[in-house]
């Protein structure tokens, strides 16, 4: 079974149809997704700016991380749960949406950045915890995080638009390739 | 001029027409508007969490507020610069939207509260002696900003 066929099956499950056709549930889930995004993204920006040595230079990096992380994680968890539900409501269309695919790639990169930061960079930052401006590697991680999350928020917003969607032909061969769309075979 | 006529005039401005005639201008401006929202919420939360006694609770309120203020101003500036053209382009829809007016009233109150009472109190460390006052202030502030976020999101559904 291909991924596309699997998402086709998923989209035909009763709960997915209910969610898709609901008057309020979808809107409420999407609202929670945006609000928790604001909490998560806002706090990530604060931490990244601390890593870049732009704000709160007198506060040790480890303190900023430890004290803000629980709230950031809370925002992240709600964001992921609501995000999965939004995907579940319209799986095929999301899976074939160009912006959705871009967003997923950026999220993998952002995850990689978090992993590299915590496994390779963080101990070095803590060793110089009091420094107003953290070491270069930490600043690079902070800048990457900022750029990636800005890209994720913006591409997330764009998923709502169907400019490159499979059911809107003709598209260029490149777009159809990037969205796994085979118009002659039907979406 | 009635307020509806004023909103019709907004709707007819060249900038509003340019946005309406473009496929991608509205979405792109809106994506930047979302970034403005995120930056605003982050810089508000940094201080509000502290006032609630969580988050960066070991730091003096005045120092955190001073760190956060330029970011708050930056977040609000980005939100206004993008929000005004978005509003112009659909001002007639906004006029008839309940959510829009909730957002504007909440925004007015949030700005008023933030730049008068909250600013004055967070410049001192008064809330350290009176943590209840700090908590009350944080709850008022977060509620008002949530009104803005609720209205903002709901304009799109109405």
């Amino acid at each position: 079974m291909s991924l596309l066929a699997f998402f086709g099956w998923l989209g035909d499950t009763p709960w997915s149809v209910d969610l898709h056709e609901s008057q309020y549930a979808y809107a409420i889930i999407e609202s929670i997704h945006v609000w928790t995004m604001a909490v998560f993204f806002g706090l990530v920006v604060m931490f990244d700016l601390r890593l870049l040595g732009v704000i709160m230079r007198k506060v040790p990096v480890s303190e900023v991380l430890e004290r803000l992380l629980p709230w950031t994680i809370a925002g992240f968890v709600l964001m992921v749960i609501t995000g999965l539900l939004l995907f579940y409501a319209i799986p095929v269309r999301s899976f074939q949406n160009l912006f959705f695919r871009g967003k997923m790639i950026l999220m993998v990169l952002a995850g990689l950045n978090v992993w590299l930061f915590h496994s390779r960079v963080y101990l070095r930052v803590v060793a110089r915890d009091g420094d107003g401006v953290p070491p270069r590697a930490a600043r690079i991680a902070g800048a990457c995080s900022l750029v990636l999350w800005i890209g994720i928020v913006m591409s997330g917003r764009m998923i709502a638009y169907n400019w490159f969607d499979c059911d809107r032909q003709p598209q260029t061969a490149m777009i159809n390739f990037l969205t796994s769309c085979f118009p002659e075979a039907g979406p | 001029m009635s307020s509806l006529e004023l909103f019709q005039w907004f709707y007819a401005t060249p900038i509003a027409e340019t946005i309406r005639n473009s496929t991608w201008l509205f979405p792109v401006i809106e994506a930047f508007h979302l970034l403005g929202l995120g930056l605003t919420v982050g810089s508000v939360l940094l201080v509000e969490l502290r006032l609630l006694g969580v988050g960066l609770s070991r730091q003096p309120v005045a120092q955190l507020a001073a760190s956060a203020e330029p970011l708050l101003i930056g977040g609000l500036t980005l939100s206004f610069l993008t929000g005004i053209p978005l509003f112009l382009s659909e001002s007639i829809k906004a006029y008839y939207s309940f959510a829009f007016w909730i957002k504007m009233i909440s925004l007015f109150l949030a700005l008023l509260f933030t730049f008068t009472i909250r600013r004055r109190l967070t410049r001192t460390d008064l809330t350290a002696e009176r943590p209840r006052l700090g908590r009350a202030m944080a709850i008022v502030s977060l509620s008002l900003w949530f009104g803005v976020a609720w209205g903002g999101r709901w304009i799109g559904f109405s």
Side-chain angles (χ1 to χ4, degrees):
Chain A
M1 196 189 223
S2 69
L3 263 183
L4 191 60
F6 172 70
F7 290 137
W9 170 81
L10 197 65
D12 285 334
T13 54
W15 283 15
S16 172
V17 177
D18 282 352
L19 211 50
H20 184 71
E21 291 175 353
S22 69
Q23 195 180 355
Y24 292 113
Y26 188 84
I28 290 169
I29 293 168
E30 191 167 61
S31 301
I32 297 173
H33 192 62
V34 175
W35 297 328
T36 49
M37 177 283 286
V39 170
F40 170 81
F41 174 77
L43 291 176
V44 164
V45 170
M46 296 304 124
F47 182 66
D48 289 341
L49 290 176
R50 174 63 189 93
L51 275 186
L52 287 166
V54 177
I55 56 166
M56 301 187 282
R57 289 191 191 172
K58 289 179 202 152
V59 189
V61 176
S62 64
E63 188 180 330
V64 179
L65 185 79
E66 281 162 24
R67 305 298 298 184
L68 294 186
L69 201 58
W71 301 92
T72 315
I73 290 175
F76 186 75
V77 168
L78 280 170
M79 197 171 64
V80 170
I81 292 172
T82 50
L84 286 171
L85 286 171
L86 291 175
F87 178 84
Y88 177 57
I90 33 176
V92 173
R93 197 246 154 193
S94 306
F95 173 65
Q96 288 190 311
N97 183 276
L98 189 65
F99 298 109
F100 178 83
R101 293 184 165 206
K103 180 179 178 179
M104 290 306 114
I105 293 169
L106 291 177
M107 281 183 60
V108 170
L109 294 176
L112 203 63
N113 186 53
V114 169
W115 178 72
L116 281 174
F117 174 75
H118 283 278
S119 65
R120 306 279 168 91
V121 184
Y122 188 56
L123 282 178
R124 266 189 286 162
V125 181
V126 175
R128 292 168 50 186
D129 216 8
D131 285 14
V133 180
R136 207 172 112 91
R139 279 178 282 144
I140 293 173
C144 286
S145 167
L146 262 185
V147 171
L148 288 168
W149 284 108
I150 287 173
I152 291 165
V153 170
M154 295 185 81
S155 53
R157 184 62 193 85
M158 294 297 174
I159 295 171
Y161 297 93
N162 63 352
W163 308 325
F164 304 113
D165 276 10
C166 196
D167 55 8
R168 274 188 60 154
Q169 298 297 333
Q171 300 283 357
T172 62
M174 179 56 114
I175 295 292
N176 280 334
F177 171 73
L178 291 174
T179 55
S180 314
C181 177
F182 308 100
E184 61 278 8
Chain B
M1 192 187 239
S2 72
S3 53
L4 179 59
E5 279 168 343
L6 180 68
F7 278 56
Q8 283 165 341
W9 182 82
F10 287 145
Y11 191 80
T13 50
I15 186 166
E17 237 166 88
T18 311
I19 294 170
R20 279 197 304 275
N21 290 332
S22 159
T23 312
W24 54 270
L25 260 178
F26 191 94
V28 170
I29 299 172
E30 195 165 66
F32 280 99
H33 193 62
L34 262 188
L35 295 179
L37 160 82
L39 188 53
T40 305
V41 168
S43 53
V44 166
L45 264 185
L46 198 66
V47 179
E48 254 54 309
L49 288 176
R50 166 68 187 86
L51 289 173
L52 290 169
V54 291
L56 290 165
S57 50
R58 283 174 229 152
Q59 299 299 319
V61 171
Q63 200 176 304
L64 271 186
S67 290
E69 185 154 308
L71 300 170
L72 176 61
I73 305 276
L76 288 174
T77 306
L78 182 57
S79 303
F80 273 94
L81 285 179
T82 50
I84 291 167
L86 290 176
F87 159 71
L88 291 177
S89 78
E90 50 174 33
S91 48
I92 294 177
K93 174 188 167 187
Y95 182 84
Y96 292 107
S97 157
F98 176 68
F100 171 78
W101 292 106
I102 293 282
K103 180 178 182 180
M104 288 305 114
I105 293 165
S106 307
L107 180 62
F108 173 74
L109 294 175
L111 290 174
L112 193 71
F113 181 76
T114 301
F115 291 105
T116 54
I117 299 172
R118 182 179 178 270
R119 180 184 250 177
R120 195 171 285 186
L121 285 178
T122 51
R123 275 186 181 168
T124 65
D125 277 321
L126 182 69
T127 50
E129 297 153 37
R130 303 182 59 186
R132 269 194 183 167
L133 178 70
R135 273 201 292 274
M137 206 162 67
I139 289 167
V140 170
S141 166
L142 289 174
S143 308
L144 290 173
W145 286 115
F146 182 72
V148 178
W150 181 86
R153 178 58 275 210
W154 228 257
I155 293 169
F157 292 135
S158 51

